[in-house]
Amino acid sequence: MKRIIVSGGGTGGHIFPALSIANALKSLMPDIEILFVGAEGKMEMEKVPEAGYQIEGLPVRGLRRKFTFENIKVLVNLWKSLRKAKRILREFKPDAVVGVGGYASGPIGRVAGKAGVPLILQEQNSYAGVTNKLLSKYACKICVAYDGMERFFERDKIVFTGNPVRKDLLQIQNKREEGIQFYGLDSMKKTILVTGGSLGAGTLNKAVKKHIASIASWNNVQILWQCGSYYYNDLNKELHATLPKNICLTAFLERMDLAYACADIVVARAGAGTISELCLLGKTAILVPSPNVAEDHQTKNAQVLVNKEAAIMLRDVEIEERLGDVLSSLLANEKKMNDLRKQIAKLAVHDSDIMIAREILNVIGESK
């Protein structure tokens, strides 16, 4: 029986691809044993067991960008994490370790590399993360989703696979009416989906709020506005009596597949997972990169699509002022919407999870 460790986490952007890879490995080799390694107290400690896999947590934390005394604690936790990673490696005896990025994958990846255990990395973004750059010297394969990654990694280690996404999000064919009913929308109107992720995005919310008066006058348009759990109560209290009928305000998107199914335009952040979903679904997209991410990688992700005329990008500092004009201009130009849909669909990479799983099995000599 073959054994694989999958490591990474801290955010859903790392967890869900990791689970997709694990599920693909199981589909290709049902008796494979998989152990996850994540960061204690982070969402992977809950999401991974829910998906039916075992997980070990490390006390690892990310370094602060500016010097603070917190970083001393971070270094102590890193030392503890390396010690625990050595124990996990010794007891589990994996045939390979897979790192999907994020600081949670650092300790086990480094220990595996130093011990000669095959290490496979998956880099989601167009600008490589710090952890993967540090671990790349130990890796035998690096699975990437963007061209030009030889800027960061040795060319002969790179394999183009795209990013794995949750399969349920892609199964939206013929689900538009179901989505319209689920979210209480009007089937005769075009739908704009505005989403800032589960916690929400403050700037996106301010932009929608600023343009509420003009949005109310858009007769054939409606907005499904997912504002996030952090902002919902305040926004709902403030806008409850004045919210236009063509805006549906919600904290969460309980069925993301149905939200995508009824969306004609998507306004969202530019995380790697979101972009992969939009490509696979062929959605007209306005991308608003988060300014609060390492090395501004979301702007670099979005710029790749803009350069190929596959999406519109609005910077975080300009969305509050420009969102209304950009949306109304786009809604009035059906050809532009169609062109964006066609171009973004050309960038889709299908079955990325299976491709990555096959690379892993190739490394351990088990691919058929």
Side-chain angles (χ1 to χ4, degrees):
M1 180 189 296
K2 296 296 180 179
R3 294 180 166 193
I4 302 290
I5 286 177
V6 179
S7 183
T11 67
H14 290 120
I15 297 162
F16 296 120
L19 287 170
S20 295
I21 293 167
N23 292 338
L25 283 167
K26 278 282 187 184
S27 71
L28 294 175
M29 184 181 284
D31 64 345
I32 198 168
E33 191 173 347
I34 297 172
L35 174 68
F36 278 77
V37 175
E40 289 176 358
K42 295 297 181 179
M43 63 187 295
E44 59 263 30
M45 302 306 294
E46 178 185 338
K47 296 295 182 183
V48 169
E50 283 178 3
Y53 294 101
Q54 286 186 302
I55 186 168
E56 290 266 9
L58 303 178
V60 64
R61 289 291 180 270
L63 275 169
R64 308 275 180 180
R65 294 182 201 178
K66 295 180 180 178
F67 177 79
T68 69
F69 286 106
E70 274 291 306
N71 279 338
I72 296 172
K73 188 176 179 181
V74 168
L75 293 172
V76 172
N77 283 336
L78 175 60
W79 177 76
K80 290 179 180 177
S81 297
L82 288 167
R83 288 190 65 187
K84 188 171 182 180
K86 288 178 183 177
R87 178 182 63 75
I88 292 169
L89 207 71
R90 186 170 61 248
E91 293 177 357
F92 188 70
K93 297 182 175 64
D95 295 283
V97 170
V98 181
V100 298
Y103 57 81
S105 64
I108 196 76
R110 185 177 187 277
V111 168
K114 300 268 285 185
V117 176
L119 175 64
I120 301 98
L121 300 179
Q122 194 246 336
E123 176 53 60
Q124 299 176 47
N125 294 293
S126 62
Y127 194 92
V130 173
T131 302
N132 277 348
K133 283 192 281 190
L134 291 172
L135 292 177
S136 64
K137 64 181 177 182
Y138 302 115
C140 54
K141 291 286 181 185
I142 303 171
C143 300
V144 303
Y146 290 89
D147 294 328
M149 297 306 286
E150 59 274 5
R151 291 176 295 156
F152 308 105
F153 307 125
E154 293 175 43
R155 187 185 296 272
D156 60 354
K157 293 182 178 182
I158 294 173
V159 183
F160 186 86
T161 59
N163 282 323
V165 302
R166 290 174 285 175
K167 296 291 188 188
D168 61 307
L169 297 186
L170 306 181
Q171 296 165 357
I172 67 169
Q173 194 172 9
N174 303 320
K175 282 187 177 180
R176 183 177 188 273
E177 284 305 316
E178 186 183 350
I180 292 289
Q181 290 181 20
F182 186 86
Y183 287 108
L185 301 172
D186 185 339
S187 62
M188 302 302 291
K189 294 181 177 181
K190 284 185 176 175
T191 303
I192 300 167
L193 169 62
V194 179
T195 174
S198 57
L199 295 177
T203 327
L204 268 65
N205 292 337
K206 286 178 185 176
V208 176
K209 194 168 75 166
K210 175 168 181 165
H211 296 282
I212 273 181
S214 59
I215 291 168
S217 67
W218 296 352
N219 294 326
N220 298 316
V221 180
Q222 60 199 344
I223 292 185
L224 177 54
W225 177 14
Q226 185 261 320
C227 65
S229 56
Y230 184 78
Y231 301 95
Y232 178 75
N233 288 337
D234 288 343
L235 281 170
N236 191 43
K237 184 187 291 186
E238 180 184 352
L239 301 173
H240 180 71
T242 59
L243 195 69
K245 291 182 179 179
N246 62 338
I247 295 183
C248 172
L249 176 67
T250 181
F252 304 103
L253 292 169
E254 294 177 30
R255 290 288 302 276
M256 192 69 200
D257 59 328
L258 296 183
Y260 275 142
C262 56
D264 297 285
I265 298 173
V266 180
V267 181
R269 291 303 199 190
T274 298
I275 287 179
S276 294
E277 291 162 9
L278 295 171
C279 290
L280 286 161
L281 295 170
K283 290 293 178 181
T284 302
I286 298 173
L287 300 174
V288 188
S290 170
N292 305 312
V293 295
E295 296 164 310
D296 197 25
H297 68 255
Q298 287 200 7
T299 297
K300 296 176 177 75
N301 290 347
Q303 192 63 54
V304 172
L305 272 68
V306 172
N307 291 345
K308 297 184 179 181
E309 300 182 336
I312 294 169
M313 178 172 69
L314 287 176
R315 296 190 180 275
D316 197 73
V317 294
E318 63 181 350
I319 186 175
E320 194 173 344
E321 193 63 38
R322 294 191 58 206
L323 181 64
D325 289 341
V326 171
L327 279 174
S328 58
S329 173
L330 191 56
L331 286 163
N333 191 340
E334 193 66 41
K335 182 181 183 301
K336 175 71 169 176
M337 287 178 63
N338 284 332
D339 287 346
L340 287 169
R341 276 195 287 266
K342 288 176 185 175
Q343 291 303 113
I344 201 169
K346 289 178 182 178
L347 304 179
V349 182
H350 297 269
D351 299 321
S352 296
D353 52 349
I354 295 293
M355 283 196 277
I356 295 169
R358 284 186 175 139
E359 288 297 329
I360 296 164
L361 295 179
N362 273 329
V363 166
I364 63 175
E366 290 293 330
S367 184
K368 295 180 182 178

